[in-house]
Amino acid sequence: MKSTKNKSAQEILSSLTIEEKIRLLNGVGSWHTYDADKKIPSVMMTDGPHGLRKQEDSQVDINDSAKATCFPTASCIANSWDLDLIKEMSGAIADQALQEGVGIVLGCGMNIKRSPMCGRNFEYFSEDPLLAGSLAAAYIDGMQSKNVGTSIKHFACNNQETRRQTSDSIVDERALREIYLRPFEIAVRNTQPTTIMASYNKINGTYTCQNKKIINDILRDEWGFKGTVISDWGAAVSIVDCIKAGLDLAMPDSHGYQIKLLLDAYQKGEITEQEIDRACLKVIEVVLKTTGVKKTTVDYKKTHDLAKKIAANSAVLLKNDGLLPLSKKQKEILIIGQMADDVRIQGGGSSHINAFTSPNAIEALSRKGFKVKYVQGYPGDDVVEITEPTEIQRMAQEAVVAAKEAADKNIPTLFFCGLTNRTEGEGFDRKDINLPHEQLSVINKIIEMNKDLIVVLYGGSPFAVPFADNVNAMLHMYLAGEASAEACADLLTGAVNPSGKLSETYPLSEKDIPCAGNWGNDSPGVEYRESIFTGYRYYETFDVPVKYEFGYGLSYTKFKYSRLEISSASYNASDADEAIGNVGANVGYGEKLSKSKTNLKVKFTVKNSGKVAGAEVVQLYVKNPASDYLRPVKELRAFTKVYLEPGKSKKVTIELDSKAFSLYDVSTNKYIAPTGTYEIEIGSSIKDIKLKKSVKVKGVKYERDDKSKLSSYFRKIKLFTHADFVSLYGKDFPVDEEPVPGTFTIYNSFSEAARLNKTCKKILDKVIERIKTENRKHGRSDNDPALKIVIGGLTENPLEAMILLAGDDFKRNRADFIVNLVNKKRFAALKSLWSKKWD
Ligand code: BGC
């Protein structure tokens, strides 16, 4: 290595040839940057985010990686609302990265949960931008404090897995700013993540990696992002446009293809050396920042214990009619449910951690001193398709008999169930919010004769619990990592008091979801017609009943709230735009709160009035004044977690600045706080408001001239029409049409080609069959979630992305062949097959 010591990024850049500079803009192998013939170090990046997924280039199976601690997934830890805990977690992941020589962990995932049915929601935090942004900022802080880089993802509007590589998220400016970009803005302005990963999808007609407005104008110029923008794996199609728009690094290695495109463009004068230097400098900077950090040695026992602590602090107690915690006098318990034996600890896909083994729920509860009887109840996810119906019935019957016997003998019965790897995962969306039917049919039979059931739930996103009224207790573990079962045993026995609160709403039905009908469809354009009314913003504003509301969760103790004081009954909020970088409060990531003396001080007391110690997530909502413009009825503006011994109380002070009353005004491109009477609400959930007081805000007189155009937005969301949305959008509306022969390009996908051309369909079917046959040889079923990702990639990626990802297996001449075939240019198609131009 020619030493880079004491050399600035700029000096290194000056020492590179144009070829080296261009080569630096594309990865080497799956996970490394280029070392410019040893002139600079190469940094390794690996997936996370809830552990380290370090793969060698030779390891192609997504589940094959070095062993690492598997922490709770994002959707699980989000329920802790605990910023310190998440910092501890990412710090521990950073230690493992350092031990393994990894410089950047690809995380955290932080997209807004537009629909609870997005297959990848388990990798994301919340439906609320303040909560998602604050948790992400904590994750970044924890990791970067150990000098390991982060890559927050997937920037942005990547809110569904259906057609994830090509779908166009059509979002109006206000929803874009207030909902979908806001969490990233909080993270960037407060913590400067090392890198940010640009997503696969398009935003308002342009692929994110080529989206100058998103990458350059907003992320860099407005928010002041100083780090490096990298592409999601295979997302940098049309590389020249990407670099010009502000992308710095295209991942992974395109086996020379992108280098050739860039060199050609440079030689033709289509991209300048300055444009290449700009991106190159960002790559060198990140390499210098994330290499040469001292290694650490990890104590895996300690990290396992941390994983257990986080899991226990994140689980949500949804119901308790008195059977929990289990009585100390209880000697025997009955456990029903295959998921107790094979606990689902994480989701599938690129975030899959090769976890250390740990006890399952049967073992963990046995260790607590119970005599455990276990009955499987239903087949496991991986064999359900090949299990005979008679065998499924036999299992159910066995469970019913055991549950009846337990009820007769007063032995507590625990039923374990939840979403499985086949129901949710990367690369596909859910079609409904139901649990697998084989689980539901058993529980329905059991509750007919045993109403004292305790249910333990798993899953990375909300699902329907039609049995809730007929069981005694429900503890939701989410996807709680390798120590899930031990944490569960601690919670069930009361060794730990549950303190998680839902970071997302549980709807009653999929029909109630705000984007229902306008999400996850097999169409190129996705209209975000519900605009700013995501999650609770919709349910609360339009009075739609839900099963469990945002912020909900029970405890084994009780908390009393009292003595709300607000420093002033009126507030001058004229500085809203100055407060743009703030989160609006002094708690969490509110360190940058306006220094103004006029900040509102909200004070109140929380007391643990029960008999056991516990923690309460205190939520501050601001109820907005009634208005004739679009505005959610209330919004989360601050939160903090308070730990209290029994009988103890704590005075909480939350300072608010004008950001807590603001909205994004699209006519001035600024945050403004409209004048009006607001209500400060302190709650234990969004519905369970304990204290409130109003405050008169003197801000901007906010008048919109689109009241009549938007009138239907004030009625039920189902009435939002395409025409309404076009007028709300207010600019040239992106036209997303399926390609037809003559318009097909390498930026279209194989599945689109197959729809248009019989030969392409035959080729695609054949390739899919070959992949399935190979998969079956490894004893895996055609419904295997990892297989779904591979087939999804093959069918949905733009053809150019396949060139980037497939190496020798799919070169440009094959893509050209397909393009020409679809465009009915048969001779050109054959010619492209023989072409050596791209070899
Ligand atoms: C995923 C990213 C991941 C990358 C590398 C992509 O398909 O969307 O989240 O970091 O692969 O594995």
Side-chain angles (χ1 to χ4, degrees):
M1 168 83 51
K2 295 156 199 154
S3 173
T4 50
K5 244 194 184 154
N6 303 325
K7 272 199 182 159
S8 70
Q10 191 61 56
E11 283 165 338
I12 294 172
L13 178 71
S14 313
S15 70
L16 301 180
T17 63
I18 186 72
E19 287 77 15
E20 285 169 335
K21 288 179 189 176
I22 286 178
R23 181 64 191 90
L24 204 57
L25 305 186
N26 187 204
V28 170
S30 296
W31 310 110
H32 287 86
T33 56
Y34 176 55
D35 69 357
D37 196 20
K38 299 205 164 37
K39 285 192 190 131
I40 49 170
S42 157
V43 64
M44 181 176 200
M45 41 198 129
T46 75
D47 274 309
H50 59 275
L52 196 74
R53 189 174 76 96
K54 188 191 179 195
Q55 281 200 308
E56 301 305 330
D57 277 340
S58 55
Q59 293 175 302
V60 284
D61 187 326
I62 214 158
N63 296 329
D64 208 3
S65 53
K67 286 255 180 230
T69 307
C70 176
F71 289 97
T73 64
S75 64
C76 180
I77 193 168
N79 298 319
S80 76
W81 299 55
D82 190 328
L83 303 176
D84 293 333
L85 212 51
I86 200 164
K87 270 187 212 172
E88 256 190 271
M89 177 180 94
S90 59
I93 298 170
D95 287 339
Q96 298 191 14
L98 290 175
Q99 178 175 279
E100 294 287 334
V102 171
I104 299 171
V105 174
L106 303 171
C108 48
M110 54 180 297
N111 290 89
I112 285 291
K113 298 179 185 194
R114 180 174 176 232
S115 166
M117 295 196 296
C118 171
R120 222 175 165 179
N121 272 5
F122 68 90
E123 286 189 61
Y124 303 139
F125 293 120
S126 178
E127 65 191 28
D128 179 78
L130 173 70
L131 186 54
S134 305
L135 294 167
Y139 184 98
I140 296 160
D141 257 358
M143 187 153 298
Q144 292 185 181
S145 67
K146 305 261 173 128
N147 295 317
V148 173
T150 53
S151 191
I152 55 174
K153 63 189 187 183
H154 307 90
F155 185 64
C157 302
N158 185 186
N159 307 107
Q160 63 178 50
E161 291 298 280
T162 308
R163 291 196 180 203
R164 69 168 166 155
Q165 286 95 346
T166 50
S167 70
D168 186 2
S169 302
I170 307 173
V171 196
D172 71 273
E173 189 67 22
R174 203 166 144 209
L176 188 66
R177 298 301 193 131
E178 283 184 32
I179 306 291
Y180 296 98
L181 294 185
R182 183 72 186 139
F184 289 98
E185 182 184 7
I186 291 172
V188 168
R189 287 192 189 265
N190 286 283
T191 55
Q192 281 291 347
T194 332
T195 78
I196 192 160
M197 188 190 289
S199 57
Y200 288 118
N201 53 289
K202 295 177 190 163
I203 303 175
N204 293 326
T206 309
Y207 277 113
T208 316
C209 289
Q210 304 166 19
N211 205 316
K212 180 174 167 296
K213 172 178 167 180
I214 297 289
I215 297 180
N216 193 67
D217 305 352
I218 298 180
L219 174 66
R220 287 223 167 89
D221 287 355
E222 260 187 50
W223 301 349
F225 178 62
K226 304 225 168 11
T228 307
V229 183
I230 66 174
S231 74
D232 198 344
W233 268 228
V237 291
S238 193
I239 183 72
V240 176
D241 294 335
C242 295
I243 301 295
K244 280 172 160 297
L247 187 89
D248 304 314
L249 176 63
M251 290 300 294
D253 201 334
S254 65
H255 313 278
Y257 178 75
Q258 286 172 320
I259 313 301
K260 184 170 168 39
L261 289 181
L262 280 166
L263 259 178
D264 277 0
Y266 171 69
Q267 278 153 6
K268 286 185 193 146
E270 289 162 6
I271 188 164
T272 64
E273 184 153 9
Q274 284 96 309
E275 285 171 315
I276 292 165
D277 281 357
R278 184 209 57 71
C280 206
L281 194 63
K282 285 286 153 201
V283 179
I284 299 170
E285 277 171 10
V286 78
V287 168
L288 294 185
K289 213 183 230 175
T290 53
T291 47
V293 184
K294 214 173 139 237
K295 285 199 172 199
T296 46
T297 312
V298 174
D299 177 344
Y300 286 100
K301 163 86 184 65
K302 265 196 184 155
T303 49
H304 179 81
D305 289 347
L306 176 61
K308 178 168 133 186
K309 179 169 111 181
I310 299 170
N313 279 283
S314 304
V316 184
L317 184 63
L318 292 176
K319 180 172 183 184
N320 189 12
D321 279 350
L323 279 185
L324 290 181
L326 291 167
S327 156
K328 294 223 161 57
K329 290 187 203 124
Q330 209 65 57
K331 295 279 171 280
E332 279 179 58
I333 53 171
L334 167 65
I335 291 182
I336 302 173
Q338 187 269 351
M339 285 181 110
D341 180 22
D342 187 8
V343 176
R344 184 157 177 250
I345 62 171
Q346 60 179 327
S350 59
S351 70
H352 183 274
I353 305 303
N354 189 1
F356 292 102
T357 45
S358 49
N360 64 20
I362 306 161
E363 290 154 351
L365 280 154
S366 301
R367 285 185 194 174
K368 289 277 178 193
F370 293 109
K371 186 170 167 226
V372 178
K373 177 175 175 184
Y374 167 66
V375 176
Q376 185 176 337
Y378 54 85
D381 190 41
D382 47 346
V383 292
V384 66
E385 290 158 3
I386 52 162
T387 310
E388 294 293 335
T390 49
E391 175 59 6
I392 297 182
Q393 270 170 17
R394 190 203 60 74
M395 284 182 182
Q397 191 50 30
E398 186 190 15
V400 172
V401 171
K404 167 111 185 55
E405 204 179 290
D408 292 345
K409 291 187 186 160
N410 264 332
I411 295 173
T413 305
L414 284 79
F415 188 83
F416 286 68
C417 61
L419 296 178
T420 62
N421 283 330
R422 273 175 172 65
T423 43
E424 63 176 348
E426 180 175 341
F428 59 97
D429 291 319
R430 286 191 293 158
K431 300 277 172 263
D432 56 45
I433 58 165
N434 299 331
L435 287 175
H437 66 90
E438 64 279 2
Q439 299 182 7
L440 280 177
S441 80
V442 190
I443 194 167
N444 285 337
K445 285 186 188 124
I446 293 175
I447 56 183
E448 277 172 28
M449 23 68 55
N450 186 338
K451 296 238 180 298
D452 275 342
L453 212 54
I454 297 164
V455 184
V456 176
L457 298 161
Y458 298 104
S461 43
F463 45 84
V465 277
F467 44 80
D469 291 344
N470 298 315
V471 300
N472 186 291
M474 294 200 298
L475 176 68
H476 195 350
M477 294 302 301
Y478 267 76
L479 300 178
E482 66 179 40
S484 171
E486 294 148 286
C488 180
D490 278 352
L491 292 157
L492 292 172
T493 54
V496 177
N497 186 354
S499 63
K501 302 263 189 174
L502 295 175
S503 55
E504 56 191 336
T505 311
Y506 274 57
L508 281 168
S509 144
E510 47 280 88
K511 292 190 205 87
D512 293 334
I513 296 167
C515 56
N518 301 307
W519 172 91
N521 298 334
D522 194 14
S523 57
V526 185
E527 293 177 9
Y528 284 44
R529 289 192 197 166
E530 73 286 4
S531 183
I532 51 173
F533 297 108
T534 311
Y536 71 78
R537 285 171 168 74
Y538 167 68
Y539 301 111
E540 288 296 310
T541 309
F542 296 94
D543 275 333
V544 178
V546 300
K547 182 67 195 170
Y548 297 111
E549 76 270 18
F550 181 79
Y552 172 83
L554 303 173
S555 164
Y556 295 149
T557 188
K558 286 201 164 48
F559 297 96
K560 266 200 176 145
Y561 289 65
S562 62
R563 291 192 217 148
L564 173 64
E565 289 165 35
I566 299 184
S567 54
S568 165
S570 61
Y571 174 64
N572 192 341
S574 50
D575 60 342
D577 198 49
E578 277 166 38
I580 187 172
N582 304 340
V583 297
N586 66 324
V587 286
Y589 276 82
E591 293 88 355
K592 281 191 189 158
L593 194 76
S594 297
K595 292 280 174 284
S596 163
K597 285 198 188 83
T598 60
N599 285 344
L600 272 187
K601 288 194 183 59
V602 180
K603 291 186 184 167
F604 53 93
T605 303
V606 185
K607 180 177 180 184
N608 180 348
S609 57
K611 294 197 171 60
V612 289
E616 171 75 330
V617 175
V618 177
Q619 301 153 47
L620 187 152
Y621 296 92
V622 171
K623 189 167 177 200
N624 296 318
S627 62
D628 54 3
Y629 48 85
L630 296 187
R631 205 161 194 200
V633 64
K634 57 167 107 163
E635 291 170 273
L636 180 75
R637 293 302 195 174
F639 63 89
T640 182
K641 198 164 184 175
V642 182
Y643 293 85
L644 289 167
E645 291 299 318
K648 294 281 178 231
S649 45
K650 188 174 176 187
K651 196 163 192 168
V652 180
T653 304
I654 296 176
E655 260 186 66
L656 301 177
D657 71 14
S658 49
K659 188 73 192 66
F661 307 99
S662 68
L663 55 75
Y664 190 80
D665 177 27
V666 295
S667 58
T668 55
N669 279 339
K670 279 181 171 177
Y671 274 94
I672 54 143
T675 296
T677 302
Y678 292 72
E679 206 160 68
I680 309 290
E681 298 189 339
I682 310 296
S684 168
S685 80
I686 195 161
K687 287 198 187 296
D688 188 7
I689 300 301
K690 308 284 191 189
L691 307 166
K692 57 184 171 190
K693 238 178 197 163
S694 60
V695 57
K696 281 202 167 100
V697 171
K698 189 173 166 298
V700 174
K701 193 156 186 279
Y702 186 60
E703 275 178 345
R704 307 282 295 136
D705 57 5
D706 50 8
K707 279 173 212 156
S708 55
K709 276 197 272 171
L710 297 179
S711 60
S712 65
Y713 275 84
F714 295 95
R715 287 185 256 127
K716 291 268 179 214
I717 208 116
K718 308 281 152 30
L719 298 177
F720 287 15
T721 62
H722 170 74
D724 285 331
F725 184 58
V726 171
S727 61
L728 172 76
Y729 192 81
K731 291 178 277 190
D732 281 348
F733 201 78
V735 183
D736 281 299
E737 279 168 0
E738 295 282 6
V740 289
T743 67
F744 196 88
T745 70
I746 51 164
Y747 307 116
N748 290 114
S749 68
F750 219 141
S751 64
E752 287 169 328
R755 278 196 282 275
L756 293 169
N757 181 283
K758 276 190 197 145
T759 312
C760 292
K761 178 157 177 16
K762 270 192 201 150
I763 299 173
L764 182 61
D765 288 348
K766 230 183 180 157
V767 179
I768 293 179
E769 200 39 52
R770 208 184 316 139
I771 297 173
K772 283 186 178 167
T773 311
E774 196 52 39
N775 197 58
R776 285 180 208 129
K777 279 190 201 152
H778 292 94
R780 296 186 205 126
S781 100
D782 288 359
N783 224 350
D784 185 77
L787 179 69
K788 280 193 196 172
I789 298 186
V790 174
I791 294 180
L794 169 71
T795 53
E796 298 307 333
N797 262 311
L799 294 178
E800 198 193 47
M802 284 181 42
I803 303 171
L804 308 180
L805 295 165
D808 281 347
D809 291 340
F810 191 80
K811 288 197 167 179
R812 174 66 188 249
N813 55 357
R814 294 202 186 184
D816 286 343
F817 168 72
I818 292 167
V819 171
N820 283 319
L821 216 54
V822 176
N823 288 334
K824 302 196 173 172
K825 294 182 182 164
R826 288 205 189 98
F827 184 65
L830 290 177
K831 230 174 116 190
S832 44
L833 267 193
W834 301 316
S835 159
K836 293 268 169 268
K837 183 175 166 209
W838 298 95
D839 278 346

